[in-house]
Amino acid sequence: MITFRSLNADGSYNYTLGRGIVIEEDGEKYILSVILNIDELRQKDEIIEKHHKRFQQIAWLQSHEVRAPLARLLGLTDAIYTDLIEDREELKQFIHHIKQSALDLDAVIHKIVQLTDTDKKVDK
């Protein structure tokens, strides 16, 4: 099996898969060859690979970046719920940290939403 790449006049390439076998019949040898245009298969593979990379980015964001602000929110709300706060000033600090964690979580969610839009790219 051989893959051929040929250059078109417009600078693009055509990809062709060729396969041949030798058949011997009645003392005569014949070559049977099959040539397939595999451009469409290559394009589909590239699309699948692009989506796979995007899903890997989303999985990484969900497993790493979402968990940090979420863990902080859970810890802060648990501290408020169990009455670990002693005065109003400390409560204000807790509320400030809750707001910041919520904003951090919102930013990560926006990154994930951007990744679901196939026309946009987002860096980790």
Side-chain angles (χ1 to χ4, degrees):
M1 209 173 338
I2 299 174
T3 302
F4 300 95
R5 181 177 79 164
S6 57
L7 181 62
N8 297 321
D10 66 358
S12 64
Y13 289 99
N14 283 332
Y15 291 90
T16 306
L17 179 67
R19 184 172 188 173
I21 59 171
V22 177
I23 300 172
E24 190 171 335
E25 184 177 298
D26 298 330
E28 296 287 324
K29 291 185 180 180
Y30 302 94
I31 297 175
L32 176 63
S33 62
V34 177
I35 298 175
L36 300 169
N37 182 339
I38 58 171
D39 283 335
E40 188 175 321
L41 292 174
R42 285 182 47 83
Q43 290 170 358
K44 287 179 181 177
D45 282 347
E46 289 171 7
I47 290 169
I48 289 169
E49 184 62 30
K50 183 174 140 182
H51 287 296
H52 178 72
K53 287 179 181 178
R54 188 163 295 188
F55 289 135
Q56 285 179 320
Q57 286 180 302
I58 290 170
W60 190 89
L61 286 169
Q62 289 176 336
S63 65
H64 292 85
E65 290 193 31
V66 167
R67 292 181 61 93
L70 182 59
R72 287 194 307 268
L73 284 168
L74 292 171
L76 290 163
T77 55
D78 190 50
I80 292 171
Y81 182 74
T82 57
D83 295 326
L84 292 178
I85 299 171
E86 297 186 11
D87 61 25
R88 181 134 180 92
E89 201 53 44
E90 195 173 14
L91 178 61
K92 285 182 181 179
Q93 283 290 5
F94 269 74
I95 291 171
H96 169 76
H97 291 305
I98 288 171
K99 183 175 182 178
Q100 186 58 52
S101 295
L103 291 171
D104 293 345
L105 184 57
D106 186 52
V108 175
I109 290 169
H110 281 288
K111 284 183 189 178
I112 292 170
V113 169
Q114 285 179 343
L115 282 171
T116 61
D117 182 353
T118 57
D119 295 330
K120 294 182 182 177
K121 292 182 182 177
V122 175
D123 296 325
K124 286 190 223 178

